[in-house]
Structures are given as C-alpha cells and as structure tokens.
C-alpha cells in the first residue's frame, strides 16, 4: 500500500470532530500506526481468511455463530444495541472464543480474533473472558500482545498493568503469586467460574478439545499448592475445594482427571482434616464408572494413606456396593490388589463390610452378600502381607469392642476363611501378635479354632 493510499484511508475513516468520537485502533496483529491504515473491509477480509484457516483445523468451526462473519455485520455498531441484544451477542462470543481457545498459537485464530476485536470490541466488552480463555498461553509473546490491548474494569486485575504496558507474557511464578493475592483469591475463583461456564456453553467440546486448559490448571494449582505446602491457610484451601468438588463430580473424563490430580497434590502437601478427606472421597465416588475405576481407587488410596483415615464415608460406600454386579466391583478390586498396594483403602473398606456382616439390623441375605464379597477380596493369591495384617487388625478391633458375653462374632464361613488366612500369612500374624493384646489374639484364635502350635507361642 502506497503512502498516498494510507493517507486517503486515514481521511476516509477519520474521527468525526463534531461527535467527539475517536476510533479505537487496538489490534492483535498490527501495531497501532499500521492498524490505522486499514478500513473495515480490510479487517473483514482478515476475519474471513482466519475463518477459512480455522475450518481446516476444525471442520465444524463455520457452524458456530456464522452470523458474526456475515457481510451485514460491516455496518454493525455494538455501542447502540440494547441489553437483550448485548446478552445474546455475549453468548455468541463466548461460544466462538471457546472454539478458538486451543488454537491461539495459529495465525488463523489471531485473524479471527482481529475481526472480533475490530467489529465487536471484545477486548473491551469481553476483556475478562478473553483473558481467561487464552490464559494457558500466558508465557508466549502473542499473549503479551493480547494483554496489551485488553481494557479491564475490575481492580482485581490491576496486577496485570505492568505486563499490559510492556505487552509482555506473564511468567508462571507470577500467575501463582496472583492466585494468592487479595482476600477473595480472585484468579482461582475466576478460573473455576470460567470452566463451569465453558461446560455450559459446550460440554462435548470442553471434554474433547480443552485438555490444554486442564493441563494448565493442574500445573498452576499444583505449583501453588506445592510451594505453599503446610503454610496454606484454610481460606486458600476453601478456594480449591469447590473446584476439586465440581471436577470430581463431573461426567467429563478430562475434567475429572484434572480434579483428581489437584486433589492428590493437595492431600500430599497439605495437612487436611478427616472431614475434608471424607468429603473428597464422597465426591470421588459420586459418578463412579468402570472406565475410570482404577484411577479412582488409586486416588482413594492416596487420600486414605496421606490423611491416615480409619473410616470411609459409609453411606457413599454402601451406595456404591448396591451397584456391585453392574460395576463388576469384585473383579476391579482383584485386579487392583494384584497390581498395587491399596491396603490404606482396603482397611476402612473392609471395616464397613465386617460391620454390615455382624450388624443385627441387616437381613440374612444382606449379610451373606457382604460375607461373600469379603471372602472374595480375601483372595490368598492376591493378598499381600500388609493387607493380611490390616485385615487381622480389623477383626481384633471388633473383638475388643464386642458386647460382653457374646461368644461368636463372625459367621462360620468367615471364621473358616480367616483361619486359613492366619495359617497362610504367618509373618503378618506374628506382627499382629507383637503389638496387640494377648487376650484379643487368643479370642480370635479360639473363634477360628487355631491352636498355638499352628502359629507358634
């Protein structure tokens, strides 16, 4: 474009002095002085070129809000539309920004954004959404350019002024620091809200295309948790728990796994109460399915072991067991016991089964179900010494808490199985004998009809 052409274009779209209106030349692609030389037709062509490029990356892209690229939009003026129309436009912009989210490093994505910035002033009207949408790319220069043109209205974002001024990307450690700033911990709350809104906009797309965002969240939140560790206060923990809760209850696999990783990081690095631990377990088993069963039980084991939980949320576990056949729980447990050491979870889980077996409130059929399940899990081929020792501890606990004068606590079939277990795991039983009351050991041996010569004095 010649110098004369640029001057003519500037004159063509010069601000109307009488109306005191000054054109906003904010641009993601061009420097301000270069952006001034382009008119609306040029930006429209840039937008269409970006749209064509996005179709190559995402076959369905042109089916989302195509009216934003219709030629009639050249005459559209966002400043004069009503509230209802503005809300509808915001919904359309939310949808298209979500579709663009994974592709920020592509030039065609920036070209689409250039049109949206020029025509719909999304850098002003939708600044916060734009910021959160592309925040996973916070360390690249293009994000710094985007940051430079955003016009925020909230004091919660004042910490960005330095980076906006310099059009600079935001280092990871600065984002971690921002998560801890302010009494409201705005960034953690905003990211939680953004994910929730994105799921409402397009649940399937979030699950299939937003892995980059969940990876970013795991990295950001895990770094923050690891850095703060034991010094993390209850107020900051309370900001993470809602996010973890929503993610663990989610039907979206990628979101659920994101929550699982953050939950594990939290319990490993921070001292949490038993109540929080049990609540995490309730959420973890809320939408249990076979495909994610392995990671769910592994996570439950981490929670139980790190928090040293002796009890699980009983109603949650019993509700899970009502789907035993559908979920094939026995097979899942046997597979896990063969591959991993999950004694920390099995202990409190077995405790629930044993309590249900000896409960006088349960019918015979119910007791038989729990007894058969427990015997199935006491699989001698898969049981480890540690797991056997955990089981012996549970039976001794119940013997020591039994009603006085009650001779037999456990059903005959269970006593028979327990007898074989004691014989097959002598090392585990020896460990128990060294630290438990002698009278309790003798009571257990009597119930199982085991003489001293079988296990040694």
């Amino acid at each position: 474009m010649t110098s004369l052409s640029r001057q003519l274009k500037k004159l063509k779209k010069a601000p109307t002095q009488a109306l005191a209106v000054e054109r906003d030349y904010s641009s993601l692609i061009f420097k301000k002085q270069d952006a001034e030389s382009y008119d609306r037709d040029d930006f429209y062509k840039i937008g269409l070129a970006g749209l064509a490029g996005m179709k190559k990356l995402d076959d369905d892209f042109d089916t989302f809000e195509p009216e934003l690229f219709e030629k009639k939009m050249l005459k559209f003026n966002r400043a004069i539309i009503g509230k209802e129309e503005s809300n509808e436009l915001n919904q359309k912009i939310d949808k298209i920004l979500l579709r663009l989210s994974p592709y920020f490093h592509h030039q065609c994505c920036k070209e689409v954004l250039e049109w949206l910035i020029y025509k719909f002033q999304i850098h002003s009207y939708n600044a916060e959404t734009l910021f959160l949408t592309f925040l996973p790319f916070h360390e690249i220069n293009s994000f710094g350019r985007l940051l430079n043109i955003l016009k925020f209205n909230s004091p919660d974002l004042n910490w960005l002024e330095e980076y906006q001024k310099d059009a600079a990307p935001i280092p990871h450690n600065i984002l971690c620091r921002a998560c801890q700033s302010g009494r409201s911990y705005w960034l953690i709350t905003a990211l939680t809200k953004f994910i929730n809104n994105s799921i409402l906009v397009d649940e399937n797309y979030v699950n299939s295309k937003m892995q980059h965002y969940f990876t970013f969240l795991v990295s950001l939140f895990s770094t923050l948790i690891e850095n703060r560790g034991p010094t993390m206060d209850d107020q900051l923990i309370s900001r993470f728990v809602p996010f973890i809760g929503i993610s663990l209850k989610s039907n979206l696999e990628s979101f659920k796994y994101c929550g699982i990783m953050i939950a594990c990081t939290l319990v490993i690095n921070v001292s949490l109460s038993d109540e929080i631990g049990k609540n995490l377990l309730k959420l973890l088993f809320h939408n249990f399915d076979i495909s994610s069963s392995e990671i769910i039980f592994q996570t439950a084991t981490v929670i139980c072991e790190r928090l040293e939980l002796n009890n699980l949320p009983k109603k949650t576990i019993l509700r899970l067991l009502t789907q035993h056949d559908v979920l094939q729980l026995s097979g899942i447990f046997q597979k896990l016991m063969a591959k991993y050491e999950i004694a920390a979870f099995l202990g409190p889980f077995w405790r629930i089964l044993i309590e249900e077996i000896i409960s006088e409130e349960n019918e015979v059929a119910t007791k038989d179900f729990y007894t058969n399940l427990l015997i199935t899990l006491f699989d001698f081929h898969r049981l480890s010494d540690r797991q056997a020792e955990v089981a012996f501890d549970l039976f001794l606990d119940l013997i020591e808490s039994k009603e006085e004068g009650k001779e037999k606590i456990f059903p005959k079939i269970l006593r028979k199985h327990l007898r074989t277990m004691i014989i097959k795991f002598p090392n585990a039983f020896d460990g128990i004998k060294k630290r438990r009351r002698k009278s309790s050991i003798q009571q257990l041996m009597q119930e199982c009809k085991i003489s001293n010569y079988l296990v040694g004095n």
Side-chain angles (χ1 to χ4, degrees):
M1 184 179 292
T2 64
S3 176
L4 178 60
S5 298
R6 289 195 182 95
Q7 292 179 41
L8 289 172
K9 284 201 170 188
K10 286 183 180 180
L11 290 172
K12 181 180 177 181
K13 55 184 184 306
T16 304
Q17 296 295 328
L19 296 175
V21 176
E22 185 176 352
R23 163 81 191 284
D24 181 0
Y25 291 105
S26 296
S27 172
L28 179 61
I29 297 177
F30 306 109
K31 294 180 180 179
K32 183 177 180 180
Q33 58 269 31
D34 294 330
E36 292 176 2
S37 63
Y38 290 86
D39 61 19
R40 64 183 183 182
D41 292 320
D42 295 323
F43 284 106
Y44 182 58
K45 290 176 183 177
I46 291 171
L48 291 180
L51 180 62
M54 284 302 305
K55 288 180 186 178
K56 296 177 181 178
L57 299 174
D58 182 348
D59 294 337
D60 298 327
F61 190 82
D62 60 331
T63 65
F64 285 83
E65 313 311 328
E67 58 268 32
L68 295 179
F69 296 90
E70 292 178 356
K71 197 161 187 176
K72 66 180 181 180
M73 285 297 177
L74 285 169
K75 297 181 180 180
F76 177 81
N77 187 345
R78 186 168 186 175
I80 61 174
I81 63 175
K83 183 177 180 180
E84 185 176 343
E85 191 176 353
S86 178
N87 290 336
E88 290 178 1
L89 178 61
N90 282 330
Q91 291 176 6
K92 293 175 182 178
I93 289 171
D94 286 347
K95 287 182 181 180
I96 196 167
L97 289 181
L98 179 63
R99 302 290 296 196
L100 289 169
S101 177
Y103 303 106
F104 187 62
H105 53 291
H106 288 272
Q107 181 63 20
C108 55
C109 172
K110 298 183 181 71
E111 290 171 345
V112 171
L113 288 173
E114 187 73 7
W115 165 247
L116 299 177
I117 290 166
Y118 171 81
K119 177 46 60 180
F120 303 104
Q121 296 85 50
I122 61 171
H123 61 297
S124 180
Y125 289 96
N126 308 91
E128 186 176 312
T129 301
L130 200 52
F131 168 72
L132 293 172
T133 298
F134 299 107
L135 191 56
F137 301 92
H138 63 92
E139 292 185 297
I140 67 174
N141 291 332
S142 294
F143 186 82
R145 288 184 62 88
L146 175 64
L147 203 58
N148 178 252
I149 64 173
L150 296 181
K151 302 181 187 301
F152 298 116
N153 295 317
S154 171
D156 291 318
L157 291 153
N158 288 345
W159 59 277
L160 288 169
E161 289 178 354
E162 175 186 348
Y163 300 94
Q164 285 187 280
K165 180 181 177 182
D166 298 334
I170 308 173
H172 187 73
N173 66 307
I174 299 299
L175 274 188
C176 288
R177 191 186 306 166
C179 286
Q180 305 171 65
S181 63
R183 293 182 178 180
S184 63
Y185 299 107
W186 176 85
L187 187 54
I188 298 175
T189 304
L191 287 168
T192 302
K193 184 179 178 181
F194 174 78
I195 287 294
N196 288 336
N197 290 342
S198 297
I199 291 172
L200 292 175
V201 170
D202 194 336
E203 180 177 277
N204 292 330
Y205 190 80
V206 170
N207 192 45
S208 62
K209 296 289 188 178
M210 295 287 282
Q211 287 88 350
H212 74 289
Y213 213 101
F214 296 124
T215 301
F216 158 70
L217 291 175
V218 169
S219 175
L220 177 64
F221 289 168
S222 295
T223 301
L224 171 58
I225 293 168
E226 289 168 356
N227 289 345
R228 287 293 297 267
T231 65
M232 184 174 288
D233 56 41
D234 291 342
Q235 191 174 3
L236 185 53
I237 292 173
S238 69
R239 291 298 182 274
F240 279 111
V241 170
F243 177 86
I244 294 173
I246 294 167
S247 59
L248 293 182
K249 290 173 66 176
S250 175
N251 291 317
L252 305 186
E253 187 178 71
S254 52
F255 190 24
K256 191 181 190 77
Y257 287 175
C258 170
I260 283 174
M261 294 179 72
I262 295 171
C264 286
T265 305
L266 189 65
V267 299
I268 288 171
N269 291 277
V270 181
S271 178
L272 301 175
S273 66
D274 286 2
E275 182 182 359
I276 292 179
K278 288 181 181 179
N279 285 334
L280 289 176
L281 290 171
K282 288 178 184 178
L283 296 166
L284 188 62
F285 288 107
H286 179 77
N287 277 330
F288 185 90
D289 63 88
I290 296 176
S291 63
S292 57
S293 60
E294 187 167 318
I295 192 171
I296 287 176
F297 281 118
Q298 285 179 302
T299 304
T301 301
V302 171
I303 294 172
C304 291
E305 185 156 11
R306 297 298 299 189
L307 302 184
E308 299 181 351
L309 294 180
N310 293 318
N311 296 288
L312 301 176
K314 191 169 185 176
K315 289 183 179 179
T316 300
I317 297 301
L318 292 179
R319 191 182 306 116
L320 180 67
L321 290 175
T322 61
Q323 305 177 67
H324 172 271
D325 293 338
V326 175
L327 297 174
Q328 305 170 20
L329 290 178
S330 292
I332 291 172
F333 274 116
Q334 289 175 329
K335 180 181 177 181
L336 289 171
M337 290 170 66
K339 292 174 64 177
Y340 310 107
E341 181 54 85
I342 58 171
F345 174 80
L346 287 175
F349 179 74
W350 286 338
R351 183 185 298 276
I352 291 175
L353 296 183
I354 295 170
E355 288 174 350
E356 293 303 300
I357 290 169
I358 65 176
S359 172
E360 295 181 357
E361 297 179 2
N362 286 331
E363 297 179 355
V364 174
T366 302
K367 291 184 177 185
D368 288 345
F369 165 74
Y370 291 123
T371 300
N372 291 330
L373 176 58
L374 187 61
I375 289 173
T376 300
L377 298 183
F378 286 162
D379 185 336
F380 301 140
H381 298 292
R382 294 180 174 85
L383 212 62
S384 67
D385 277 333
R386 183 186 174 192
Q387 291 166 0
E389 191 169 338
V390 168
F392 296 149
D393 263 325
L394 290 174
F395 286 109
L396 289 170
D397 287 344
L398 290 167
I399 285 175
E400 291 173 0
S401 64
K402 77 179 180 73
E403 296 177 14
E404 189 175 348
K406 191 172 183 179
E407 294 184 2
K408 302 295 183 184
I409 299 178
F410 314 114
K412 183 177 180 180
I413 187 174
L414 188 55
R415 295 199 303 270
K416 182 179 179 181
H417 198 82
L418 187 55
R419 181 181 189 277
T420 306
M421 189 189 301
I422 292 172
I423 295 171
K424 281 188 171 289
F425 293 91
N427 293 334
F429 196 67
D430 284 344
I432 288 291
K433 287 166 63 179
K434 292 176 183 178
R435 57 182 177 79
R436 297 299 295 254
R437 288 198 324 223
K438 188 174 181 179
S439 59
S440 301
I441 297 290
Q442 286 299 319
Q443 177 67 39
L444 180 62
M445 291 172 62
Q446 287 174 14
E447 286 220 16
C448 298
K449 295 183 179 180
I450 293 181
S451 58
N452 286 328
Y453 81 88
L454 283 176
V455 294
N457 294 323

